[in-house]
Amino acid sequence: MEDRYNSHEMNSNVNELICAAPFFAGLPEATVEQSTAHVVTRSHPANRVILLENDWGGSVYFILEGWAKIRTYNLDGKEVTLNILGKGELFGEMAALDEVPRSTDVITLTPTTIGSIPAQDFVQLVHSEPLAGVRLSQLLAKRLRQVNRRLRLRESDSTSRVADTLLFLAEGQGKLKQEGTEIPNLPHRELSSLSGLARETVTRVLTKLEKKGLIKRDNDIMYIPDVGALEKIIA
């Protein structure tokens, strides 16, 4: 069952989560308050479709808690995971900016809370606040860089492709902990879709990396003790 809260019912914690998103860092407080005045939050269970390809973009979304994946399909009808997003990240900005239907699906991987901002409020923020425009440009450039990197590795060996997928997650969602860089320990089917490898191959490579001490797995969390060491094995 989905829970819905309108902007009048949001508590201070939700406001803090919205404003703590990296996109808003350093923006004038009054500007942030104005652009988030009509935020609506919803809580979703795992495996819930949030957006569908070809939907029209009426809102821009921020993940407040949980994980979601960006999905499309190749010409053979096979699901392809393009990205994994976590707390503080936004999606749906492209359809809001160019006013065309959405190009991908968004699906929750875990119980997830999402805040949505009306597209017109987001566009007004980008138009009126130069730093917001810079942040958006940086976000789009980062995602393009990540896609280019993964495309270059499509011809690499399976170990390199799995290692790069883990580094991709570390770059986007890694948190520095005592045990190393913490990333979500995603189901192997998601890592398979991200890396373009068979699930069995992903399982075999992860086991090899774990035996070498390059990763550590603990239920829903994976640790990369030394990111530099993992980078060195990419062919």
Side-chain angles (χ1 to χ4, degrees):
M1 178 70 73
E2 178 184 271
D3 297 320
R4 174 172 177 165
Y5 307 89
N6 63 36
S7 57
H8 296 294
E9 294 170 335
M10 285 195 306
N11 57 34
S12 60
N13 184 49
V14 170
N15 281 309
E16 289 172 5
L17 287 170
I18 285 281
C19 296
F23 179 83
F24 291 115
L27 270 62
E29 184 176 345
T31 301
V32 174
E33 289 181 355
Q34 181 178 1
S35 62
T36 60
H38 303 110
V39 166
V40 172
T41 65
R42 292 182 175 90
S43 295
H44 305 275
N47 302 312
R48 173 66 60 86
V49 175
I50 306 301
L51 297 178
L52 282 172
E53 185 176 350
N54 295 321
D55 284 349
W56 285 94
S59 299
V60 176
Y61 303 84
F62 290 81
I63 298 180
L64 306 182
E65 295 289 348
W67 300 91
K69 67 177 178 180
I70 311 298
R71 178 188 72 179
T72 189
Y73 292 90
N74 63 19
L75 294 177
D76 297 324
K78 181 180 178 181
E79 179 180 319
V80 177
T81 299
L82 300 176
N83 205 347
I84 302 292
L85 304 180
K87 183 177 178 179
E89 294 201 85
L90 76 154
F91 60 90
E93 74 288 345
M94 292 177 62
L97 289 170
D98 55 18
E99 298 182 342
V100 297
R102 302 191 188 279
S103 58
T104 57
D105 301 336
V106 180
I107 302 165
T108 60
L109 292 173
T110 63
T112 302
T113 301
I114 293 174
S116 62
I117 296 176
Q120 62 268 27
D121 290 356
F122 182 81
V123 172
Q124 176 61 33
L125 171 64
V126 173
H127 283 170
S128 63
E129 178 54 52
L131 183 55
V134 171
R135 286 276 161 71
L136 183 59
S137 298
Q138 290 172 332
L139 172 67
L140 297 177
K142 174 184 175 183
R143 290 180 178 172
L144 179 59
R145 222 172 27 248
Q146 290 173 329
V147 169
N148 288 339
R149 172 179 170 182
R150 291 172 61 203
L151 286 175
R152 288 197 302 270
L153 281 162
R154 285 287 170 170
E155 302 304 320
S156 298
D157 62 88
S158 57
T159 299
S160 295
R161 290 164 69 173
V162 172
D164 182 70
T165 299
L166 300 181
L167 292 169
F168 169 78
L169 293 172
E171 180 181 351
Q173 287 299 323
K175 298 177 183 178
L176 193 58
K177 302 288 185 178
Q178 185 175 357
E179 300 88 342
T181 301
E182 177 188 295
I183 61 175
N185 188 17
L186 297 175
H188 292 188
R189 66 177 180 275
E190 302 299 344
L191 294 176
S192 168
S193 185
L194 273 170
S195 62
L197 295 166
R199 184 165 54 180
E200 295 77 8
T201 302
V202 169
T203 299
R204 185 173 65 251
V205 172
L206 289 174
T207 300
K208 182 170 69 173
L209 294 177
E210 191 167 27
K211 287 180 178 179
K212 290 183 176 181
L214 293 170
I215 63 171
K216 297 179 181 178
R217 290 180 282 183
D218 182 15
N219 296 321
D220 295 333
I221 299 298
M222 183 184 296
Y223 298 100
I224 304 174
D226 185 344
V227 168
L230 190 60
E231 289 175 337
K232 288 179 181 178
I233 73 169
I234 296 179

